[in-house]
Amino acid sequence: MLRLTNRQILLGITGGIAAYKSAELTRMLKKAGADVRVVMTPAAAEFITPLTLQALSGNPVHLQLLDPEAEAGMGHIELARWADLILVAPATADFMARVAAGMGNDLLTTLCLASDAPLCLAPAMNQAMWRDHQTQLNVQALQARGIQFFGPASGEQACGDTGWDEC
Ligand SMILES: Cc1cc2nc3c(=O)[nH]c(=O)nc-3n(C[C@H](O)[C@H](O)[C@H](O)COP(=O)(O)O)c2cc1C
């Protein structure tokens, strides 16, 4: 079993309905002894407040790439070097597409590019989005690069569908 005591986990949260689960995940990682820093995409901040994640992680939440104040403190390269592991939960279809394409158009994708730490993704989306041909090609490309996947699990979805979706 993975030991989490004193492990430095960068938890990425993207803009899916399962973002609400990231609060509990943060709490569980902290309880297991990990030092957690949260990075949210702008879309994620529409689903769950940075304040909640700040309170649960005990660290400031990182949101913007082009933020002079953040760069004066723990800037994006420091944050990329700090991480022992990057875990993105939930990972949207759009986020996976951006990572698969090698994009760095926000803080979280830039960190994925700039870090040598292992990257783990917990995809969560509507079952049709998950089955989409391009999403599956992106997943295969990411897996071929050694990126580890957790889930998706199967069950009832927020949109009313049943299928593979939430982490
Ligand atoms: C109510 C709502 C729920 C959404 N849920 C999901 C989801 O569960 N998974 C997903 O991949 N996209 C979902 N989306 C679409 C993403 O929010 C959208 O693709 C966004 O651009 C993702 O941005 P990000 O990857 O930078 O966080 C949802 C959109 C809305 C409006």
Side-chain angles (χ1 to χ4, degrees):
M1 203 174 100
L2 185 67
R3 292 180 66 85
L4 291 173
T5 313
N6 298 327
R7 293 289 299 268
Q8 298 181 167
I9 311 283
L10 197 155
L11 175 63
I13 305 176
T14 65
I17 197 73
Y20 76 94
K21 296 184 179 181
S22 306
E24 183 64 11
L25 178 60
T26 303
R27 207 187 62 81
M28 283 162 41
L29 290 170
K30 288 285 290 180
K31 206 172 168 193
D35 190 359
V36 181
R37 283 185 174 267
V38 175
V39 175
M40 299 173 76
T41 63
E46 299 288 332
F47 287 87
I48 183 166
T49 70
L51 192 60
T52 300
L53 279 310
Q54 179 179 304
L56 290 170
S57 69
N59 282 313
V61 170
H62 305 266
L63 289 160
Q64 301 289 344
L65 178 60
L66 305 176
D67 178 352
E69 228 173 81
E71 286 299 310
M74 189 174 259
H76 70 284
I77 297 297
E78 276 80 7
L79 207 47
R81 289 187 185 138
W82 174 87
D84 292 329
L85 176 83
I86 300 178
L87 167 63
V88 182
T92 60
D94 192 73
F95 177 78
M96 292 194 298
R98 301 202 306 275
V99 175
M103 288 174 72
N105 61 340
D106 61 15
L107 179 57
L108 190 53
T109 49
T110 302
L111 289 172
C112 292
L113 282 177
S115 179
D116 291 328
L119 174 60
C120 301
L121 304 180
M125 66 203 65
N126 163 271
Q127 51 86 21
M129 290 175 79
W130 174 250
R131 284 189 290 103
D132 175 82
H133 181 65
Q134 188 59 54
T135 300
Q136 286 303 311
L137 288 179
N138 293 336
V139 170
Q140 284 165 25
L142 294 167
Q143 283 173 332
R145 273 188 235 164
I147 294 170
Q148 199 180 330
F149 279 72
F150 296 118
S154 172
E156 195 181 323
Q157 304 200 297
C159 58
D161 285 359
T162 300
W164 300 102
D165 100 311
E166 297 184 2
C167 54

